[in-house]
Amino acid sequence: FTTTSPLLLLLSPTTNKTINKNMSSQAKDITSETTSTTEHSNSTDSNNAKNEVLGMKKVLMDSKVKCDTTGKQKSVWAMTLETFGMADGHSKGGDVVVETLEEGLEILNEHLQDKDRKLQETQNNDNEKKDDDPSTLCTSWMDLVPLNEFEATQDQFLAAFLKWATKDPDSANTSKKGKDKHKTGKGNINVSKARRRLDAYFEWMDANMAQNLKEKPLTRESIQAAAKVWDIQITYTNEGLFVWWVDIGALDKEVLGAMDSQEHLRYLVWFSHFVIFDAKAQDHGAMIIENLGRIGFWKMCTLVPMDLGAKLDRLTIGILPVKMKSIYVFGAAGWMNILMTMMKPFMGKKMRDRMVVVNDKKTDMQTYCDELVTRAQIPQGFCGLQGEARRDAFFK
């Protein structure tokens, strides 16, 4: 997630209203606070980081990207906040909940049949059909899903959305606001929430991948070059969590920038589907362990073009039906500490608990990861750590 837009892990619509109002004065006050609370940052470093954050905020406000849903131009900042708001989805009054996956699959399959009927009606209506409409490239919405590449079925695909929309056992009885009283049915699987996520998935794939997939099917062989550049690794914890390892500090920035944006997009779409169809990721959730390599804010946000970053953010945060349990960040530069201090008062408890910035000047990364996932589940050579898990396991 954080490779393309670190703000997505730190902002919410609430913070936007407050920070836009008094950004400069807050940043000044927070710099002072950060200087006193962050031992590895001196006053000059904090001021530099503050200026970097303020400068990037302006860039994010001024830079425009196309919104997939409306086709209109929006600021990267607005897209960031919108995507962030989609991270966990929302329960609504009247949502249908069920007890079993079988019940949920029946409802989602009927919903998909209805979507396909409407798609065909639109395609047969010359007054509504547009030559440049990506949806005219497929006869069924499921044509956008690379089932064959992952040897998966339609039910397995739909089940991923149902599992994502299942309330965790430890939170099933914690509601204090009575939000569940308007839901229809018994159980912990919110089918309506899953359906909304599914519709968002099809909308994104339709807008960003339909034409490309028709010209060049998404296969493991076709994304190898980009996969080598990103060098994302995976392992699993003893509890079954899917672990997503990213070493930003080790990326070859020159090669990354020279590669066509569509190749980056294809790879990360492929990888996202790999996660979608991973049984452990669906049953237990996932975590990210990331090394930023002390990268500056500007370099971090410009690793890939901003329009590509916005698309990837929407896919991985706002659409991917996988529960992200935690995110551990190593090698954070001074701007991350300032930004975290700035955002903490406005971040929801889930996000605060989920996001862990490790002070690796005080904490040994090897020891930390050994205790977090065990050495057996650290990829060999990741950040110079001693690990026993083979690299590129998902390609084998």
Side-chain angles (χ1 to χ4, degrees):
F1 294 170
T2 54
T3 58
T4 55
S5 182
L7 287 176
L8 286 169
L9 299 177
L10 306 172
L11 301 179
S12 69
T14 308
T15 68
N16 188 36
K17 295 177 182 178
T18 305
I19 294 174
N20 279 343
K21 185 177 180 181
N22 294 306
M23 184 70 180
S24 296
S25 60
Q26 283 193 19
K28 183 177 179 180
D29 294 340
I30 291 167
T31 298
S32 175
E33 179 182 346
T34 305
T35 301
S36 61
T37 58
T38 308
E39 295 182 7
H40 66 270
S41 296
N42 57 34
S43 180
T44 300
D45 290 339
S46 293
N47 283 327
N48 289 340
K50 176 201 69 174
N51 292 332
E52 192 173 16
V53 171
L54 292 174
M56 183 54 67
K57 174 68 170 4
K58 185 179 186 305
V59 171
L60 292 174
M61 290 292 288
D62 293 345
S63 299
K64 304 294 183 181
V65 293
K66 184 179 179 181
C67 177
D68 294 332
T69 55
T70 64
K72 297 180 179 180
Q73 295 290 315
K74 286 187 176 182
S75 70
V76 174
W77 182 264
M79 285 287 288
T80 293
L81 296 175
E82 185 178 297
T83 298
F84 186 88
M86 299 169 64
D88 295 312
H90 300 284
S91 296
K92 299 181 179 180
D95 278 357
V96 175
V97 296
V98 297
E99 294 180 316
T100 67
L101 282 177
E102 289 73 21
E103 293 174 287
L105 286 172
E106 182 178 354
I107 295 173
L108 287 190
N109 274 302
E110 290 177 357
H111 173 65
L112 188 54
Q113 291 174 8
D114 185 54
K115 284 179 69 70
D116 280 347
R117 281 195 298 270
K118 292 178 180 178
L119 174 64
Q120 291 168 8
E121 289 172 1
T122 299
Q123 292 175 343
N124 292 332
N125 189 330
D126 292 336
N127 294 325
E128 295 183 20
K129 183 177 178 180
K130 298 178 181 178
D131 291 337
D132 59 349
D133 184 356
S135 65
T136 63
L137 299 176
C138 58
T139 58
S140 167
W141 289 102
M142 286 302 297
D143 291 343
L144 297 169
V145 187
L147 294 180
N148 292 338
E149 168 65 10
F150 295 95
E151 299 180 349
T153 66
Q154 179 171 308
D155 277 357
Q156 287 176 321
F157 171 71
L158 297 178
F161 289 85
L162 293 169
K163 291 180 179 180
W164 171 82
T166 300
K167 185 177 290 186
D168 291 330
D170 58 354
S171 63
N173 299 312
T174 58
S175 176
K176 297 181 180 180
K177 297 183 180 180
K179 291 184 177 180
D180 293 341
K181 64 181 180 181
H182 300 299
K183 292 180 181 177
T184 304
K186 296 180 179 180
N188 289 324
I189 305 176
N190 188 328
V191 183
S192 299
K193 184 177 177 181
R195 185 174 58 216
R196 289 190 289 270
R197 193 76 159 194
L198 178 66
D199 288 343
Y201 164 91
F202 283 132
E203 186 176 78
W204 189 95
M205 289 291 291
D206 188 20
N208 296 288
M209 293 299 296
Q211 179 68 46
N212 184 269
L213 291 178
K214 187 175 182 65
E215 297 171 353
K216 186 179 179 181
L218 194 64
T219 64
R220 181 175 61 179
E221 291 72 24
S222 71
I223 52 86
Q224 287 280 357
K228 290 180 179 178
V229 175
W230 284 95
D231 197 29
I232 295 173
Q233 300 299 317
I234 71 157
T235 59
Y236 301 91
T237 68
N238 291 335
E239 295 73 30
L241 265 72
F242 180 103
V243 188
W244 180 334
W245 301 79
V246 187
D247 189 356
I248 300 300
L251 286 178
D252 188 325
K253 313 301 189 297
E254 186 174 340
V255 174
L256 189 75
M259 184 170 287
D260 184 82
S261 293
Q262 194 65 32
E263 294 307 308
H264 294 301
L265 186 63
R266 284 176 56 83
Y267 166 57
L268 290 165
V269 168
W270 183 94
F271 187 81
S272 294
H273 283 90
F274 176 85
V275 182
I276 288 176
F277 293 117
D278 186 273
K280 290 184 178 179
Q282 290 307 320
D283 291 339
H284 305 288
M287 72 163 68
I288 291 178
I289 298 179
E290 181 175 44
N291 173 47
L292 297 184
R294 307 290 171 188
I295 191 172
F297 200 169
W298 173 255
K299 288 184 179 180
M300 180 69 166
C301 290
T302 55
L303 281 175
V304 296
M306 284 193 176
D307 59 341
L308 174 60
K311 291 179 181 180
L312 295 177
D313 294 334
R314 183 59 58 92
L315 171 66
T316 55
I317 295 178
I319 291 173
L320 192 66
V322 175
K323 292 185 177 181
M324 190 57 60
K325 299 293 187 178
S326 53
I327 303 160
Y328 295 90
V329 180
F330 293 86
W335 61 264
M336 177 67 82
N337 296 294
I338 292 177
L339 211 54
M340 284 297 293
T341 304
M342 187 183 298
M343 301 306 155
K344 270 189 176 181
F346 310 100
M347 291 166 64
K349 186 178 185 302
K350 279 186 178 180
M351 186 56 68
R352 289 200 305 270
D353 293 343
R354 189 179 301 165
M355 183 77 176
V356 181
V357 180
V358 182
N359 184 346
D360 46 5
K361 287 200 172 184
K362 286 186 173 182
T363 305
D364 179 66
M365 187 177 183
Q366 179 75 63
T367 302
Y368 196 99
C369 291
D370 283 347
E371 295 177 354
L372 183 65
V373 300
T374 75
R375 187 163 299 189
Q377 297 304 328
I378 299 174
Q380 296 170 354
F382 182 83
C383 286
L385 300 180
Q386 297 180 40
E388 299 173 3
R390 66 178 182 174
R391 298 182 68 82
D392 300 323
F394 56 95
F395 281 134
K396 301 175 176 61

